Amino acid sequence: EIQPEPSGFVMFLRKHFSQGIITSVSQAGYDRILVTKVQAMNELGDLRQLTLYLELMGKYANLIAVNEEGVIMDALIPVFENSRRLIHPGARYELPSQPEKQDPSGPVSIDESRPLTDQISGFSPLLSGEAERRLHEGTTWEEFWHSLEASDKLYWYDDRHFHIIPLSRMNTEPRVYDLMEGLGQ
């Protein structure tokens, strides 16, 4: 729904970021957090290094603007507090805490009595199930990880299930797209 007047947060973004230059875009580890670094000028014409954190965490999704000192300037959902962190203008920004998990790009040691979602950073239940099936069939971890890194396709099964590798557990044939084309679907 298009609002007749821009929200306070949109006005904030226009003021601080509209003439800025994006200097980098990265992901925080293997988490669902996009980190965008922006070089922008303040009202006095001084260059500032600002950061936008896009946290894609289900019902806790948020867009948070942080200054060069790591202090929250504003957020789409401006006041959010749980037992682990505070999102509020003036508070120090901290990435959401994550349990210790193994980096999937390095050597991994798998405990077959626990789900991979509890052991490997960034692994969803869907990806974990596919990895477990392939490992059980004799694929090595290195081969599985390489298939993820090397993929340039998107396999789209339905409105909820898609991935960058074919998912053998799905009962339907996927629509296959070049990665960037598939993301636009």
Side-chain angles (χ1 to χ4, degrees), residues 102-109 141-142:
Q102 298 177 72
D103 181 338
S105 66
V108 298
S109 174
W141 181 262
E142 291 76 19

Side-chain angles (χ1 to χ4, degrees), residues 128-139:
S128 294
E130 185 65 26
E132 288 168 356
R133 186 202 61 75
R134 291 186 186 196
L135 293 172
H136 181 73
E137 291 179 350
T139 300

Side-chain angles (χ1 to χ4, degrees), residues 39-53:
Q39 188 176 48
M41 287 194 189
N42 66 13
E43 307 83 35
L44 302 175
D46 299 325
L47 276 179
R48 300 181 71 190
Q49 300 297 323
L50 306 177
T51 306
L52 281 173
Y53 291 92

Side-chain angles (χ1 to χ4, degrees), residues 112-153:
E112 293 186 20
S113 68
R114 295 176 42 220
L116 289 180
T117 54
D118 294 345
Q119 301 178 63
I120 310 293
S121 183
F123 267 51
S124 68
L126 189 65
L127 183 58
S128 294
E130 185 65 26
E132 288 168 356
R133 186 202 61 75
R134 291 186 186 196
L135 293 172
H136 181 73
E137 291 179 350
T139 300
T140 67
W141 181 262
E142 291 76 19
E143 292 168 334
F144 179 73
W145 182 250
H146 178 72
S147 71
L148 289 169
E149 288 185 313
S151 177
D152 62 353
K153 302 288 183 205

Side-chain angles (χ1 to χ4, degrees):
E1 176 182 334
I2 298 176
Q3 297 178 357
E5 297 292 323
S7 70
F9 187 65
V10 169
M11 296 303 291
F12 167 84
L13 291 176
R14 286 180 181 170
K15 177 180 178 183
H16 294 281
F17 290 85
S18 67
Q19 298 300 314
I21 297 171
I22 296 173
T23 58
S24 71
V25 177
S26 61
Q27 182 179 1
Y30 293 99
D31 216 337
R32 294 169 291 172
I33 301 174
L34 184 70
V35 182
T36 305
K37 301 282 186 180
V38 178
Q39 188 176 48
M41 287 194 189
N42 66 13
E43 307 83 35
L44 302 175
D46 299 325
L47 276 179
R48 300 181 71 190
Q49 300 297 323
L50 306 177
T51 306
L52 281 173
Y53 291 92
L54 177 59
E55 298 182 352
L56 301 169
M57 308 293 197
K59 68 179 182 176
Y60 300 111
N62 207 347
L63 180 61
I64 304 163
V66 177
N67 68 17
E68 53 272 293
E69 288 86 34
V71 175
I72 298 170
M73 299 167 66
D74 204 351
L76 182 61
I77 303 171
V79 179
F80 174 77
E81 183 175 0
N82 67 21
S83 61
R84 295 188 183 130
R85 63 196 283 246
L86 171 69
I87 301 297
H88 188 279
R92 178 156 294 286
Y93 178 80
E94 295 179 17
L95 288 168
S97 64
Q98 295 292 320
E100 276 300 313
K101 294 182 181 182
Q102 298 177 72
D103 181 338
S105 66
V108 298
S109 174
I110 296 172
D111 176 355
E112 293 186 20
S113 68
R114 295 176 42 220
L116 289 180
T117 54
D118 294 345
Q119 301 178 63
I120 310 293
S121 183
F123 267 51
S124 68
L126 189 65
L127 183 58
S128 294
E130 185 65 26
E132 288 168 356
R133 186 202 61 75
R134 291 186 186 196
L135 293 172
H136 181 73
E137 291 179 350
T139 300
T140 67
W141 181 262
E142 291 76 19
E143 292 168 334
F144 179 73
W145 182 250
H146 178 72
S147 71
L148 289 169
E149 288 185 313
S151 177
D152 62 353
K153 302 288 183 205
L154 187 67
Y155 299 85
W156 199 284
Y157 293 89
D158 56 40
D159 290 340
R160 294 179 12 155
H161 299 98
F162 57 90
H163 218 287
I164 60 171
I165 59 173
L167 301 171
S168 61
R169 298 178 22 194
M170 302 304 290
N171 294 328
T172 61
E173 285 296 314
R175 295 184 312 265
V176 182
Y177 300 97
D178 287 331
L179 184 59
M180 296 313 290
E181 178 190 352
L183 291 173
Q185 295 299 315

